[in-house]
Amino acid sequence: MQPLNTDRVAAAMSRAIALAYQGPRSSNPRVGCVIIDAEGVEVGAGFHHGAGTPHAEVEALAVAGAKALGATAVVTLEPCRHTGRTGPCTEALINAGISRVVFAQHDPTLEAAGGAEVLRQAGIDVLEGVGQADAEQVNVAWTHVQATGLPYVLLKLAQTLDARVADADGGPTAISGPQARLLTHQLRSQSDAVLVGIGTAIADDPQLTVREIDVRMQPLRVVMGERELPAGLRLHDDSAQTLLIGNRDPKDALRLLADRGIQQVLLEGGPTLASAFLEAGCVNEVVWIIAPTLMGAGVPSSHPLTRPFPVDVIQVAMIGNDVMVRGRISRSASSQR
Ligand code: AOF
Ligand code: ZN
């Protein structure tokens, strides 16, 4: 067997990850696969087009044809070993004469996992963990659902330098600038549901839809609270579906959303709901927008929390005149319950 050209393999993995992103979010993971020959030249590539369609490996093998013989398959996810809606990719790779498989992320599901071992037993050289962090990012919400049964929650809040989200009378106040509002639409477009508390729904009368970006489907608008949603609010318009959850418990609400197939939730406040979700260990990621102004009196961005929530920062950026800090709630914080 040819020695491994690590640069070529890393480049193929980057391309496989980019291909994976082209697939739709569905009940299946987004997966990309690139097949390279002994010289590191690409002979086939493919990605998964959503639940029920062929897996990325099968797509790439179909392009490679006879060139798959002795080649290396570079895949973002461990090839499946099970027969689900489609047959096992391990078998397809073995039958095509692939001699090496490089994959990034382990399959977290009970039924499909174990493909690496099947491939090794068939005499295929298997290398795992290449590009793992980037590949895991592609399916961060899907993987979270597999592990916990609950959707992945991203909390987005915009506050002033003195940590206010609204002025003292609590009415709608524009905190962040126009570029940050575009980011909000991007985050909504990547989510299956957008969630607010009833207080925010009434005070801000938000529409909670994706605008300025094309989306195949608007996210579900969800309002949590024990009051009726007053008539006349924009949330009643027909631009998207709205669900009222008359329950205060974050986990119960998330279970309900998981039952509807929701994998990623954008939590847009207000502070009462945000704090309740944090305390319940139900926030996975935060996007905090900080507007360069001091408001003085006003509504604080969070209620006093009973414990600290360290954040592993992913990104800090200027967005127009605002500062954005994005990060994951560190695992130790979310597991302390
Ligand atoms: C995909 N696409 O490219 C790969 C997957 O119901 P099935 O037969 O489509 O199987 C889905 C499972 O197969 C999925 O949850 C994951 O564990 C594994 N690999 N899935 O949808 C792919 N490689
Ligand atoms: Zn498969």
Side-chain angles (χ1 to χ4, degrees), residues 33-85:
C33 176
V34 171
I35 298 175
I36 53 176
D37 67 13
E39 275 68 53
V41 175
E42 181 177 315
V43 294
F47 64 90
H48 184 62
H49 293 259
T53 68
H55 289 185
E57 300 91 318
V58 172
E59 287 249 313
L61 286 171
V63 178
K67 291 184 181 158
L69 192 64
T72 295
V74 178
V75 200
T76 56
L77 186 70
E78 179 180 5
C80 67
R81 56 164 292 171
H82 78 307
T83 301
R85 280 163 285 208

mmCIF file of all heavy atoms in Angstrom, residues 33-85:
data_model
loop_
_atom_site.group_PDB
_atom_site.id
_atom_site.type_symbol
_atom_site.label_atom_id
_atom_site.label_comp_id
_atom_site.label_asym_id
_atom_site.label_seq_id
_atom_site.Cartn_x
_atom_site.Cartn_y
_atom_site.Cartn_z
ATOM 1 N N CYS A 33 -17.776 12.990 1.289
ATOM 2 C CA CYS A 33 -16.768 11.956 1.045
ATOM 3 C C CYS A 33 -15.979 12.301 -0.215
ATOM 4 O O CYS A 33 -16.563 12.691 -1.230
ATOM 5 C CB CYS A 33 -17.466 10.604 0.876
ATOM 6 S SG CYS A 33 -16.331 9.255 0.440
ATOM 7 N N VAL A 34 -14.655 12.173 -0.128
ATOM 8 C CA VAL A 34 -13.782 12.391 -1.294
ATOM 9 C C VAL A 34 -12.902 11.153 -1.434
ATOM 10 O O VAL A 34 -12.341 10.678 -0.442
ATOM 11 C CB VAL A 34 -12.920 13.666 -1.093
ATOM 12 C CG1 VAL A 34 -11.860 13.778 -2.181
ATOM 13 C CG2 VAL A 34 -13.807 14.913 -1.085
ATOM 14 N N ILE A 35 -12.795 10.633 -2.664
ATOM 15 C CA ILE A 35 -11.938 9.462 -2.893
ATOM 16 C C ILE A 35 -10.709 9.918 -3.666
ATOM 17 O O ILE A 35 -10.835 10.609 -4.682
ATOM 18 C CB ILE A 35 -12.716 8.368 -3.655
ATOM 19 C CG1 ILE A 35 -13.906 7.921 -2.793
ATOM 20 C CG2 ILE A 35 -11.810 7.178 -3.971
ATOM 21 C CD1 ILE A 35 -14.820 6.930 -3.453
ATOM 22 N N ILE A 36 -9.534 9.571 -3.127
ATOM 23 C CA ILE A 36 -8.288 9.961 -3.807
ATOM 24 C C ILE A 36 -7.486 8.714 -4.177
ATOM 25 O O ILE A 36 -7.521 7.705 -3.465
ATOM 26 C CB ILE A 36 -7.424 10.925 -2.941
ATOM 27 C CG1 ILE A 36 -7.160 10.357 -1.542
ATOM 28 C CG2 ILE A 36 -8.083 12.297 -2.841
ATOM 29 C CD1 ILE A 36 -6.235 11.234 -0.686
ATOM 30 N N ASP A 37 -6.783 8.808 -5.304
ATOM 31 C CA ASP A 37 -5.976 7.659 -5.731
ATOM 32 C C ASP A 37 -4.613 7.685 -5.030
ATOM 33 O O ASP A 37 -4.349 8.544 -4.177
ATOM 34 C CB ASP A 37 -5.862 7.614 -7.266
ATOM 35 C CG ASP A 37 -5.046 8.779 -7.825
ATOM 36 O OD1 ASP A 37 -4.365 9.488 -7.041
ATOM 37 O OD2 ASP A 37 -5.092 8.994 -9.053
ATOM 38 N N ALA A 38 -3.741 6.768 -5.408
ATOM 39 C CA ALA A 38 -2.455 6.621 -4.722
ATOM 40 C C ALA A 38 -1.604 7.891 -4.814
ATOM 41 O O ALA A 38 -0.776 8.167 -3.947
ATOM 42 C CB ALA A 38 -1.697 5.430 -5.309
ATOM 43 N N GLU A 39 -1.814 8.684 -5.850
ATOM 44 C CA GLU A 39 -1.060 9.947 -6.005
ATOM 45 C C GLU A 39 -1.734 11.098 -5.253
ATOM 46 O O GLU A 39 -1.241 12.234 -5.280
ATOM 47 C CB GLU A 39 -0.934 10.337 -7.486
ATOM 48 C CG GLU A 39 0.242 9.674 -8.199
ATOM 49 C CD GLU A 39 0.036 8.187 -8.353
ATOM 50 O OE1 GLU A 39 -1.027 7.813 -8.884
ATOM 51 O OE2 GLU A 39 0.903 7.423 -7.908
ATOM 52 N N GLY A 40 -2.879 10.843 -4.661
ATOM 53 C CA GLY A 40 -3.591 11.902 -3.939
ATOM 54 C C GLY A 40 -4.530 12.681 -4.838
ATOM 55 O O GLY A 40 -5.070 13.716 -4.438
ATOM 56 N N VAL A 41 -4.744 12.195 -6.055
ATOM 57 C CA VAL A 41 -5.630 12.888 -6.995
ATOM 58 C C VAL A 41 -7.071 12.438 -6.759
ATOM 59 O O VAL A 41 -7.341 11.239 -6.599
ATOM 60 C CB VAL A 41 -5.207 12.584 -8.461
ATOM 61 C CG1 VAL A 41 -6.183 13.203 -9.455
ATOM 62 C CG2 VAL A 41 -3.791 13.070 -8.702
ATOM 63 N N GLU A 42 -7.973 13.401 -6.750
ATOM 64 C CA GLU A 42 -9.386 13.069 -6.506
ATOM 65 C C GLU A 42 -9.976 12.283 -7.678
ATOM 66 O O GLU A 42 -9.868 12.697 -8.827
ATOM 67 C CB GLU A 42 -10.164 14.373 -6.307
ATOM 68 C CG GLU A 42 -11.635 14.135 -6.034
ATOM 69 C CD GLU A 42 -12.383 15.440 -5.777
ATOM 70 O OE1 GLU A 42 -11.874 16.285 -5.014
ATOM 71 O OE2 GLU A 42 -13.465 15.606 -6.351
ATOM 72 N N VAL A 43 -10.615 11.143 -7.357
ATOM 73 C CA VAL A 43 -11.265 10.353 -8.413
ATOM 74 C C VAL A 43 -12.777 10.267 -8.212
ATOM 75 O O VAL A 43 -13.502 9.755 -9.074
ATOM 76 C CB VAL A 43 -10.645 8.933 -8.538
ATOM 77 C CG1 VAL A 43 -9.211 9.025 -9.022
ATOM 78 C CG2 VAL A 43 -10.725 8.178 -7.207
ATOM 79 N N GLY A 44 -13.250 10.766 -7.072
ATOM 80 C CA GLY A 44 -14.696 10.747 -6.828
ATOM 81 C C GLY A 44 -15.022 11.586 -5.611
ATOM 82 O O GLY A 44 -14.175 11.773 -4.730
ATOM 83 N N ALA A 45 -16.228 12.136 -5.578
ATOM 84 C CA ALA A 45 -16.648 12.935 -4.421
ATOM 85 C C ALA A 45 -18.164 12.929 -4.357
ATOM 86 O O ALA A 45 -18.843 12.757 -5.380
ATOM 87 C CB ALA A 45 -16.136 14.370 -4.544
ATOM 88 N N GLY A 46 -18.691 13.099 -3.159
ATOM 89 C CA GLY A 46 -20.145 13.145 -3.023
ATOM 90 C C GLY A 46 -20.537 13.611 -1.648
ATOM 91 O O GLY A 46 -19.700 13.697 -0.741
ATOM 92 N N PHE A 47 -21.810 13.940 -1.507
ATOM 93 C CA PHE A 47 -22.312 14.304 -0.181
ATOM 94 C C PHE A 47 -23.726 13.766 -0.024
ATOM 95 O O PHE A 47 -24.382 13.394 -1.010
ATOM 96 C CB PHE A 47 -22.221 15.820 0.056
ATOM 97 C CG PHE A 47 -23.073 16.673 -0.853
ATOM 98 C CD1 PHE A 47 -24.370 17.003 -0.515
ATOM 99 C CD2 PHE A 47 -22.561 17.151 -2.063
ATOM 100 C CE1 PHE A 47 -25.150 17.800 -1.348
ATOM 101 C CE2 PHE A 47 -23.323 17.942 -2.901
ATOM 102 C CZ PHE A 47 -24.629 18.273 -2.540
ATOM 103 N N HIS A 48 -24.164 13.738 1.217
ATOM 104 C CA HIS A 48 -25.479 13.183 1.525
ATOM 105 C C HIS A 48 -26.550 14.247 1.305
ATOM 106 O O HIS A 48 -26.427 15.362 1.797
ATOM 107 C CB HIS A 48 -25.475 12.688 2.966
ATOM 108 C CG HIS A 48 -26.745 12.023 3.363
ATOM 109 N ND1 HIS A 48 -27.207 10.884 2.762
ATOM 110 C CD2 HIS A 48 -27.670 12.349 4.293
ATOM 111 C CE1 HIS A 48 -28.362 10.536 3.302
ATOM 112 N NE2 HIS A 48 -28.666 11.415 4.237
ATOM 113 N N HIS A 49 -27.602 13.869 0.558
ATOM 114 C CA HIS A 49 -28.637 14.849 0.188
ATOM 115 C C HIS A 49 -29.866 14.799 1.094
ATOM 116 O O HIS A 49 -30.919 15.315 0.726
ATOM 117 C CB HIS A 49 -29.050 14.633 -1.272
ATOM 118 C CG HIS A 49 -27.954 14.963 -2.246
ATOM 119 N ND1 HIS A 49 -27.901 16.145 -2.959
ATOM 120 C CD2 HIS A 49 -26.838 14.278 -2.578
ATOM 121 C CE1 HIS A 49 -26.808 16.160 -3.708
ATOM 122 N NE2 HIS A 49 -26.145 15.039 -3.495
ATOM 123 N N GLY A 50 -29.766 14.139 2.240
ATOM 124 C CA GLY A 50 -30.882 14.140 3.192
ATOM 125 C C GLY A 50 -31.473 12.753 3.394
ATOM 126 O O GLY A 50 -31.278 11.844 2.575
ATOM 127 N N ALA A 51 -32.196 12.613 4.516
ATOM 128 C CA ALA A 51 -32.735 11.315 4.945
ATOM 129 C C ALA A 51 -33.393 10.562 3.791
ATOM 130 O O ALA A 51 -34.195 11.126 3.059
ATOM 131 C CB ALA A 51 -33.735 11.530 6.072
ATOM 132 N N GLY A 52 -33.008 9.296 3.662
ATOM 133 C CA GLY A 52 -33.617 8.444 2.633
ATOM 134 C C GLY A 52 -32.825 8.381 1.335
ATOM 135 O O GLY A 52 -33.065 7.507 0.508
ATOM 136 N N THR A 53 -31.872 9.283 1.148
ATOM 137 C CA THR A 53 -31.070 9.284 -0.087
ATOM 138 C C THR A 53 -29.741 8.556 0.172
ATOM 139 O O THR A 53 -29.387 8.307 1.329
ATOM 140 C CB THR A 53 -30.789 10.724 -0.575
ATOM 141 O OG1 THR A 53 -29.914 11.366 0.357
ATOM 142 C CG2 THR A 53 -32.069 11.546 -0.703
ATOM 143 N N PRO A 54 -28.997 8.203 -0.904
ATOM 144 C CA PRO A 54 -27.742 7.462 -0.697
ATOM 145 C C PRO A 54 -26.759 8.213 0.198
ATOM 146 O O PRO A 54 -26.731 9.447 0.208
ATOM 147 C CB PRO A 54 -27.167 7.345 -2.119
ATOM 148 C CG PRO A 54 -28.321 7.533 -3.036
ATOM 149 C CD PRO A 54 -29.283 8.439 -2.329
ATOM 150 N N HIS A 55 -25.944 7.453 0.904
ATOM 151 C CA HIS A 55 -24.940 8.056 1.770
ATOM 152 C C HIS A 55 -23.792 8.623 0.929
ATOM 153 O O HIS A 55 -23.602 8.241 -0.232
ATOM 154 C CB HIS A 55 -24.425 7.025 2.767
ATOM 155 C CG HIS A 55 -25.456 6.673 3.807
ATOM 156 N ND1 HIS A 55 -25.196 5.849 4.863
ATOM 157 C CD2 HIS A 55 -26.756 7.061 3.940
ATOM 158 C CE1 HIS A 55 -26.291 5.743 5.618
ATOM 159 N NE2 HIS A 55 -27.247 6.462 5.063
ATOM 160 N N ALA A 56 -23.039 9.529 1.545
ATOM 161 C CA ALA A 56 -21.957 10.239 0.843
ATOM 162 C C ALA A 56 -20.965 9.264 0.202
ATOM 163 O O ALA A 56 -20.518 9.467 -0.930
ATOM 164 C CB ALA A 56 -21.240 11.143 1.836
ATOM 165 N N GLU A 57 -20.639 8.189 0.931
ATOM 166 C CA GLU A 57 -19.653 7.232 0.430
ATOM 167 C C GLU A 57 -20.135 6.591 -0.869
ATOM 168 O O GLU A 57 -19.377 6.411 -1.817
ATOM 169 C CB GLU A 57 -19.409 6.121 1.469
ATOM 170 C CG GLU A 57 -18.878 6.607 2.815
ATOM 171 C CD GLU A 57 -19.982 6.917 3.814
ATOM 172 O OE1 GLU A 57 -21.004 7.526 3.429
ATOM 173 O OE2 GLU A 57 -19.822 6.571 4.991
ATOM 174 N N VAL A 58 -21.422 6.245 -0.904
ATOM 175 C CA VAL A 58 -22.002 5.581 -2.074
ATOM 176 C C VAL A 58 -21.996 6.536 -3.275
ATOM 177 O O VAL A 58 -21.679 6.139 -4.401
ATOM 178 C CB VAL A 58 -23.430 5.083 -1.746
ATOM 179 C CG1 VAL A 58 -24.153 4.573 -2.970
ATOM 180 C CG2 VAL A 58 -23.352 4.016 -0.655
ATOM 181 N N GLU A 59 -22.316 7.793 -3.019
ATOM 182 C CA GLU A 59 -22.273 8.813 -4.079
ATOM 183 C C GLU A 59 -20.864 8.924 -4.653
ATOM 184 O O GLU A 59 -20.678 8.962 -5.869
ATOM 185 C CB GLU A 59 -22.636 10.186 -3.484
ATOM 186 C CG GLU A 59 -24.083 10.351 -3.145
ATOM 187 C CD GLU A 59 -24.745 11.354 -4.078
ATOM 188 O OE1 GLU A 59 -24.165 12.420 -4.288
ATOM 189 O OE2 GLU A 59 -25.825 11.020 -4.598
ATOM 190 N N ALA A 60 -19.877 9.001 -3.760
ATOM 191 C CA ALA A 60 -18.494 9.187 -4.208
ATOM 192 C C ALA A 60 -17.992 7.942 -4.950
ATOM 193 O O ALA A 60 -17.295 8.054 -5.965
ATOM 194 C CB ALA A 60 -17.605 9.502 -3.011
ATOM 195 N N LEU A 61 -18.361 6.755 -4.457
ATOM 196 C CA LEU A 61 -17.937 5.512 -5.119
ATOM 197 C C LEU A 61 -18.512 5.424 -6.528
ATOM 198 O O LEU A 61 -17.852 4.946 -7.455
ATOM 199 C CB LEU A 61 -18.381 4.284 -4.298
ATOM 200 C CG LEU A 61 -17.597 4.014 -3.007
ATOM 201 C CD1 LEU A 61 -18.270 2.918 -2.190
ATOM 202 C CD2 LEU A 61 -16.139 3.625 -3.318
ATOM 203 N N ALA A 62 -19.749 5.892 -6.702
ATOM 204 C CA ALA A 62 -20.388 5.845 -8.029
ATOM 205 C C ALA A 62 -19.613 6.712 -9.017
ATOM 206 O O ALA A 62 -19.460 6.349 -10.190
ATOM 207 C CB ALA A 62 -21.832 6.317 -7.928
ATOM 208 N N VAL A 63 -19.088 7.826 -8.551
ATOM 209 C CA VAL A 63 -18.296 8.704 -9.433
ATOM 210 C C VAL A 63 -16.947 8.048 -9.732
ATOM 211 O O VAL A 63 -16.478 8.043 -10.877
ATOM 212 C CB VAL A 63 -18.076 10.096 -8.784
ATOM 213 C CG1 VAL A 63 -17.209 10.978 -9.679
ATOM 214 C CG2 VAL A 63 -19.399 10.775 -8.489
ATOM 215 N N ALA A 64 -16.336 7.456 -8.713
ATOM 216 C CA ALA A 64 -14.989 6.888 -8.880
ATOM 217 C C ALA A 64 -15.002 5.655 -9.783
ATOM 218 O O ALA A 64 -14.042 5.403 -10.514
ATOM 219 C CB ALA A 64 -14.403 6.542 -7.514
ATOM 220 N N GLY A 65 -16.070 4.860 -9.726
ATOM 221 C CA GLY A 65 -16.148 3.632 -10.532
ATOM 222 C C GLY A 65 -14.951 2.738 -10.250
ATOM 223 O O GLY A 65 -14.563 2.537 -9.093
ATOM 224 N N ALA A 66 -14.297 2.248 -11.310
ATOM 225 C CA ALA A 66 -13.182 1.296 -11.168
ATOM 226 C C ALA A 66 -11.963 1.950 -10.508
ATOM 227 O O ALA A 66 -11.087 1.257 -9.986
ATOM 228 C CB ALA A 66 -12.801 0.750 -12.539
ATOM 229 N N LYS A 67 -11.920 3.282 -10.521
ATOM 230 C CA LYS A 67 -10.765 3.970 -9.915
ATOM 231 C C LYS A 67 -10.766 3.856 -8.388
ATOM 232 O O LYS A 67 -9.815 4.279 -7.722
ATOM 233 C CB LYS A 67 -10.756 5.443 -10.329
ATOM 234 C CG LYS A 67 -10.434 5.628 -11.797
ATOM 235 C CD LYS A 67 -10.333 7.090 -12.133
ATOM 236 C CE LYS A 67 -10.021 7.253 -13.617
ATOM 237 N NZ LYS A 67 -10.415 8.559 -14.114
ATOM 238 N N ALA A 68 -11.844 3.321 -7.830
ATOM 239 C CA ALA A 68 -11.892 3.134 -6.374
ATOM 240 C C ALA A 68 -10.946 2.010 -5.930
ATOM 241 O O ALA A 68 -10.543 1.959 -4.761
ATOM 242 C CB ALA A 68 -13.319 2.831 -5.936
ATOM 243 N N LEU A 69 -10.604 1.154 -6.847
ATOM 244 C CA LEU A 69 -9.739 0.016 -6.510
ATOM 245 C C LEU A 69 -8.381 0.516 -5.999
ATOM 246 O O LEU A 69 -7.677 1.225 -6.715
ATOM 247 C CB LEU A 69 -9.552 -0.868 -7.755
ATOM 248 C CG LEU A 69 -8.912 -2.232 -7.514
ATOM 249 C CD1 LEU A 69 -9.790 -3.111 -6.633
ATOM 250 C CD2 LEU A 69 -8.625 -2.923 -8.851
ATOM 251 N N GLY A 70 -8.045 0.165 -4.761
ATOM 252 C CA GLY A 70 -6.767 0.570 -4.167
ATOM 253 C C GLY A 70 -6.730 2.015 -3.695
ATOM 254 O O GLY A 70 -5.692 2.503 -3.245
ATOM 255 N N ALA A 71 -7.846 2.709 -3.789
ATOM 256 C CA ALA A 71 -7.871 4.138 -3.442
ATOM 257 C C ALA A 71 -8.178 4.367 -1.953
ATOM 258 O O ALA A 71 -8.477 3.429 -1.207
ATOM 259 C CB ALA A 71 -8.915 4.852 -4.303
ATOM 260 N N THR A 72 -8.092 5.654 -1.563
ATOM 261 C CA THR A 72 -8.376 6.056 -0.177
ATOM 262 C C THR A 72 -9.697 6.828 -0.149
ATOM 263 O O THR A 72 -9.869 7.786 -0.905
ATOM 264 C CB THR A 72 -7.239 6.966 0.357
ATOM 265 O OG1 THR A 72 -6.034 6.199 0.416
ATOM 266 C CG2 THR A 72 -7.542 7.505 1.747
ATOM 267 N N ALA A 73 -10.603 6.409 0.723
ATOM 268 C CA ALA A 73 -11.860 7.161 0.903
ATOM 269 C C ALA A 73 -11.716 8.050 2.128
ATOM 270 O O ALA A 73 -11.376 7.575 3.216
ATOM 271 C CB ALA A 73 -13.024 6.198 1.078
ATOM 272 N N VAL A 74 -11.941 9.346 1.940
ATOM 273 C CA VAL A 74 -11.830 10.320 3.033
ATOM 274 C C VAL A 74 -13.255 10.789 3.349
ATOM 275 O O VAL A 74 -13.922 11.381 2.506
ATOM 276 C CB VAL A 74 -10.934 11.509 2.599
ATOM 277 C CG1 VAL A 74 -10.841 12.547 3.708
ATOM 278 C CG2 VAL A 74 -9.545 11.001 2.220
ATOM 279 N N VAL A 75 -13.732 10.484 4.554
ATOM 280 C CA VAL A 75 -15.140 10.703 4.906
ATOM 281 C C VAL A 75 -15.235 11.512 6.193
ATOM 282 O O VAL A 75 -14.441 11.327 7.116
ATOM 283 C CB VAL A 75 -15.886 9.355 5.126
ATOM 284 C CG1 VAL A 75 -17.384 9.548 5.004
ATOM 285 C CG2 VAL A 75 -15.403 8.270 4.220
ATOM 286 N N THR A 76 -16.238 12.394 6.273
ATOM 287 C CA THR A 76 -16.368 13.228 7.478
ATOM 288 C C THR A 76 -16.919 12.448 8.678
ATOM 289 O O THR A 76 -16.731 12.852 9.813
ATOM 290 C CB THR A 76 -17.278 14.445 7.200
ATOM 291 O OG1 THR A 76 -18.535 13.972 6.712
ATOM 292 C CG2 THR A 76 -16.658 15.379 6.173
ATOM 293 N N LEU A 77 -17.636 11.355 8.395
ATOM 294 C CA LEU A 77 -18.239 10.545 9.476
ATOM 295 C C LEU A 77 -17.848 9.077 9.273
ATOM 296 O O LEU A 77 -17.723 8.613 8.139
ATOM 297 C CB LEU A 77 -19.771 10.681 9.408
ATOM 298 C CG LEU A 77 -20.582 10.029 10.521
ATOM 299 C CD1 LEU A 77 -20.381 10.780 11.847
ATOM 300 C CD2 LEU A 77 -22.080 10.036 10.176
ATOM 301 N N GLU A 78 -17.669 8.367 10.361
ATOM 302 C CA GLU A 78 -17.356 6.935 10.297
ATOM 303 C C GLU A 78 -18.371 6.227 9.390
ATOM 304 O O GLU A 78 -19.583 6.374 9.596
ATOM 305 C CB GLU A 78 -17.435 6.358 11.713
ATOM 306 C CG GLU A 78 -17.158 4.878 11.805
ATOM 307 C CD GLU A 78 -17.265 4.367 13.253
ATOM 308 O OE1 GLU A 78 -17.647 5.154 14.153
ATOM 309 O OE2 GLU A 78 -16.985 3.183 13.474
ATOM 310 N N PRO A 79 -17.924 5.474 8.409
ATOM 311 C CA PRO A 79 -18.873 4.784 7.522
ATOM 312 C C PRO A 79 -19.810 3.866 8.315
ATOM 313 O O PRO A 79 -19.381 3.184 9.247
ATOM 314 C CB PRO A 79 -17.955 3.977 6.592
ATOM 315 C CG PRO A 79 -16.674 4.761 6.572
ATOM 316 C CD PRO A 79 -16.530 5.291 7.970
ATOM 317 N N CYS A 80 -21.082 3.862 7.931
ATOM 318 C CA CYS A 80 -22.062 3.074 8.691
ATOM 319 C C CYS A 80 -21.908 1.593 8.386
ATOM 320 O O CYS A 80 -21.472 1.204 7.314
ATOM 321 C CB CYS A 80 -23.481 3.551 8.373
ATOM 322 S SG CYS A 80 -23.998 3.205 6.677
ATOM 323 N N ARG A 81 -22.309 0.780 9.367
ATOM 324 C CA ARG A 81 -22.206 -0.673 9.195
ATOM 325 C C ARG A 81 -23.588 -1.308 9.184
ATOM 326 O O ARG A 81 -23.723 -2.517 9.272
ATOM 327 C CB ARG A 81 -21.365 -1.272 10.319
ATOM 328 C CG ARG A 81 -21.890 -0.938 11.697
ATOM 329 C CD ARG A 81 -21.301 -1.818 12.761
ATOM 330 N NE ARG A 81 -21.774 -3.183 12.584
ATOM 331 C CZ ARG A 81 -21.315 -4.226 13.251
ATOM 332 N NH1 ARG A 81 -20.351 -4.099 14.118
ATOM 333 N NH2 ARG A 81 -21.818 -5.421 13.064
ATOM 334 N N HIS A 82 -24.615 -0.486 9.132
ATOM 335 C CA HIS A 82 -25.961 -1.005 9.300
ATOM 336 C C HIS A 82 -26.784 -0.859 8.010
ATOM 337 O O HIS A 82 -26.421 -0.104 7.108
ATOM 338 C CB HIS A 82 -26.681 -0.236 10.417
ATOM 339 C CG HIS A 82 -27.171 1.118 9.975
ATOM 340 N ND1 HIS A 82 -26.341 2.038 9.372
ATOM 341 C CD2 HIS A 82 -28.408 1.686 10.015
ATOM 342 C CE1 HIS A 82 -27.051 3.121 9.077
ATOM 343 N NE2 HIS A 82 -28.306 2.926 9.456
ATOM 344 N N THR A 83 -27.885 -1.586 7.968
ATOM 345 C CA THR A 83 -28.849 -1.371 6.896
ATOM 346 C C THR A 83 -29.999 -0.584 7.483
ATOM 347 O O THR A 83 -30.718 -1.071 8.348
ATOM 348 C CB THR A 83 -29.356 -2.712 6.321
ATOM 349 O OG1 THR A 83 -28.212 -3.420 5.836
ATOM 350 C CG2 THR A 83 -30.323 -2.484 5.181
ATOM 351 N N GLY A 84 -30.107 0.663 7.067
ATOM 352 C CA GLY A 84 -31.220 1.516 7.514
ATOM 353 C C GLY A 84 -32.120 1.709 6.316
ATOM 354 O O GLY A 84 -32.625 0.750 5.733
ATOM 355 N N ARG A 85 -32.288 2.987 5.929
ATOM 356 C CA ARG A 85 -33.037 3.253 4.694
ATOM 357 C C ARG A 85 -32.194 2.887 3.485
ATOM 358 O O ARG A 85 -32.691 2.725 2.383
ATOM 359 C CB ARG A 85 -33.453 4.729 4.651
ATOM 360 C CG ARG A 85 -34.677 4.990 5.501
ATOM 361 C CD ARG A 85 -34.837 6.446 5.791
ATOM 362 N NE ARG A 85 -33.873 6.884 6.791
ATOM 363 C CZ ARG A 85 -34.078 7.897 7.611
ATOM 364 N NH1 ARG A 85 -35.182 8.581 7.542
ATOM 365 N NH2 ARG A 85 -33.167 8.254 8.505
#
